[in-house]
Amino acid sequence: KTMYVYILECSDKTYYTGVTNNLEKRLIVHKRGINPDSYTYKRRPVSYTHLTLPTKEGVDLGGRRI
């Protein structure tokens, strides 16, 4: 299964980086603000601003910078 690294720009001009195997679904979740504890919830609206990077399955970015 292909995983994607994505970068969002938040309304406060900060950036959020995530990894998903379903980019379309994940962007909808960020934009709707389903989880009040998430980084992007209070920083909506968010916009998808960077190209996705396909990665190997099981990649762990664990704090690495992009």
Side-chain angles (χ1 to χ4, degrees):
K1 199 177 240 185
T2 301
M3 302 293 288
Y4 297 92
V5 176
Y6 61 96
I7 302 174
L8 303 177
E9 183 175 359
C10 301
S11 63
D12 64 355
K13 301 299 181 193
T14 61
Y15 293 93
Y16 175 85
T17 303
V19 178
T20 185
N21 64 353
N22 187 333
L23 186 60
E24 185 176 335
K25 180 179 177 183
R26 193 69 186 116
L27 293 177
I28 290 169
V29 168
H30 280 297
K31 289 182 178 189
R32 288 187 183 163
I34 293 173
N35 181 1
D37 295 326
S38 72
Y39 181 84
T40 57
Y41 183 84
K42 293 180 180 177
R43 293 172 172 85
R44 290 175 291 140
V46 296
S47 58
Y48 172 68
T49 60
H50 295 80
L51 296 173
T52 54
L53 306 169
T55 63
K56 293 182 181 178
E57 182 178 6
V59 69
D60 178 11
L61 296 179
R64 294 186 183 102
R65 295 176 187 247
I66 293 179

